[in-house]
Amino acid sequence: MIREIITYPNKLLRTKSEDVVKFDSELHTLLDDMYDTMIASSGVGLAAIQVAVPLNVLIINLVNEDDIQDKADLIEVINPVITHKDGVQINQEGCLSIPGYYEDIKRAQHIVVEFYNRYGEKQTKEYEDFLAVAWQHEMEHLSGHVFIENLSFIKRQKFEKEWKAKQKAKR
Ligand SMILES: CC(=O)Oc1ccc(/C=C/C(=O)NCCc2ccccc2)cc1OC(C)=O
Ligand SMILES: [Co+2]
């Protein structure tokens, strides 16, 4: 089922999400709904807080080398912890909670993460390049941050001005 995505500056996005304790059918329904919602909005990553659920749950489904967003590449992530990160990369990022705004953001090049899948099985994986970017972007949502908080003061001011103008135009 498609759920509503909350958008900036909704204060709920600043919530620190809690760890999942029960790997039950309710969690599975949340994961399935997050997938439907992400796909319906042309997203490649989504954190549970973006559908107003303050749990440490996120999903990532990047497009593959043939430019296909294959569900086989879907990663479902519960209670993630980054145990190591190194290197630097800069990529343009966007967020379904800040629609229509894209900005270059600096992230670690390589990360090692521990997390659980939907059955409560612990995984340790490492990621680099664009996949590492998606992970870091989504994990920031779990601690109540959105990607524009990484912008320089000047760029953030530019964003706030543009965002206000866009909200006014919508009324
Ligand atoms: C107008 C509008 O909503 O633009 C969009 C903005 C962002 C997005 C999706 C963003 C997204 O999935 N971000 C996941 C996190 C991420 C960021 C950078 C790299 C990897 C992963 C989709 C949009 O909608 C369309 C139709 O393109
Ligand atoms: Co986002």
Side-chain angles (χ1 to χ4, degrees):
M1 175 194 90
I2 292 174
R3 302 191 188 197
E4 186 194 353
I5 293 179
I6 59 175
T7 54
Y8 183 86
N10 189 317
K11 272 181 73 64
L12 245 177
L13 285 170
R14 302 174 59 77
T15 310
K16 267 198 178 326
S17 296
E18 300 281 319
D19 271 355
V20 166
V21 285
K22 286 197 297 179
F23 291 78
D24 57 9
S25 62
E26 200 180 321
L27 172 67
H28 295 180
T29 302
L30 170 62
L31 286 161
D32 297 341
D33 289 353
M34 285 173 69
Y35 180 78
D36 296 342
T37 304
M38 180 181 75
I39 297 300
S41 305
S42 313
V44 294
L46 191 73
I49 193 60
Q50 293 179 272
V51 290
V53 175
L55 288 176
N56 287 330
V57 176
L58 64 93
I59 60 172
I60 292 168
N61 197 173
L62 298 186
V63 298
N64 63 23
E65 39 289 337
D66 305 329
D67 244 3
I68 312 276
Q69 192 174 22
D70 187 343
K71 193 165 184 180
D73 299 324
L74 174 65
I75 310 171
E76 295 181 329
V77 179
I78 290 103
N79 302 344
V81 176
I82 292 183
T83 56
H84 174 83
K85 56 182 180 183
D86 60 65
V88 177
Q89 61 177 313
I90 296 180
N91 290 272
Q92 190 178 69
E93 299 188 15
C95 180
L96 288 171
S97 291
I98 309 179
Y101 190 80
Y102 312 90
E103 203 36 88
D104 280 346
I105 302 291
K106 195 161 73 170
R107 300 276 187 194
Q109 167 63 21
H110 166 253
I111 59 172
V112 180
V113 289
E114 289 176 4
F115 62 102
Y116 294 81
N117 64 16
R118 66 162 59 200
Y119 307 107
E121 293 155 350
K122 189 169 186 177
Q123 328 268 319
T124 301
K125 294 267 171 69
E126 49 187 311
Y127 298 99
E128 54 188 6
D129 301 333
F130 202 59
L131 197 40
V133 172
W135 268 83
Q136 293 170 79
H137 174 110
E138 295 309 333
M139 283 188 67
E140 258 182 2
H141 279 296
L142 304 186
S143 53
H145 298 292
V146 286
F147 82 101
I148 53 164
E149 294 174 40
N150 297 293
L151 295 178
S152 66
F153 179 74
I154 304 295
K155 282 197 171 173
R156 180 64 185 274
Q157 276 192 315
K158 175 174 158 278
F159 162 76
E160 294 295 347
K161 219 164 91 242
E162 281 174 20
W163 189 259
K164 266 194 201 75
K166 204 180 286 187
Q167 300 318 307
K168 231 190 232 88
K170 277 198 184 130
R171 251 176 254 137

